[in-house]
Amino acid sequence: MDEQPADSLREVEHELTALLRRGRAISWEIASEVHPNLEPNAYGLLLWLRRSGSTRLTDLATRLGVGKGTLSRQIHSLEALGLVRRVPDPSDRRAAQLSLTEEGQRRFDAARASRLGQIRQALQNWPARDVAEFARLMRQFNDAWG
């Protein structure tokens, strides 16, 4: 692959920093939409649980790149809020399966609809092919990042 020009890499860094800053602000908003006591970084955890339906704590920790202890504490707080349930894994009673509760799913879906509305509004003047390409490039970047 060709060496990337330094100016282009600095521009990517600048735009990524702006995106992350904006994302943190949006995370505070959307977390409070899900539940007033929800930590902002928990939205991503809820997203993974919504996508997977049910998953083992160890698999989720590996996927998110966090320790099992850290994830267990986060799950505990989500359980206390009534958003997540932990049940014994039928194939291994020592392990737990995690999933959203009905209330967690309802609250997450409502907050997600709000977020998707914001994204839709930001991209409303983009051609559909550009939106698809943007999604492809973001996925490629995230896959390369790790």
Side-chain angles (χ1 to χ4, degrees):
M1 176 153 293
D2 295 334
E3 182 70 23
Q4 302 300 323
D7 288 347
S8 295
L9 291 176
R10 281 191 287 276
E11 186 66 22
V12 167
E13 178 195 28
H14 174 78
E15 295 303 327
L16 184 58
T17 300
L19 179 65
L20 292 172
R21 182 176 25 82
R22 188 171 292 115
R24 279 190 297 275
I26 290 171
S27 290
W28 280 97
E29 292 172 22
I30 201 158
S32 66
E33 286 181 43
V34 173
H35 193 283
N37 298 328
L38 184 66
E39 298 268 337
N41 61 355
Y43 179 81
L45 180 54
L46 294 175
L47 174 63
W48 279 106
L49 288 172
R50 182 67 172 105
R51 289 175 113 184
S52 66
S54 179
T55 189
R56 291 174 67 162
L57 184 113
T58 53
D59 295 338
L60 188 59
T62 299
R63 177 69 181 124
L64 296 176
V66 298
K68 290 188 292 186
T70 298
L71 183 60
S72 186
R73 284 188 296 279
Q74 291 175 330
I75 292 297
H76 181 72
S77 69
L78 293 171
E79 286 177 297
L81 295 175
L83 303 174
V84 170
R85 78 172 60 87
R86 183 188 323 224
V87 297
D89 186 330
S91 64
D92 181 356
R93 291 286 181 191
R94 297 168 298 165
Q97 285 282 333
L98 307 170
S99 61
L100 295 179
T101 62
E102 287 182 27
E103 180 68 7
Q105 187 171 318
R106 184 189 67 73
R107 286 175 175 254
F108 175 84
D109 289 349
R112 187 179 202 192
S114 174
R115 178 176 256 186
L116 288 174
Q118 292 172 331
I119 294 169
R120 183 176 294 110
Q121 184 175 4
L123 300 175
Q124 70 184 349
N125 294 323
W126 290 31
R129 70 182 179 284
D130 288 356
V131 174
E133 181 68 358
F134 184 53
R136 186 190 70 75
L137 290 170
M138 287 184 72
R139 183 174 36 259
Q140 182 179 336
F141 177 80
N142 284 325
D143 289 347
W145 192 281

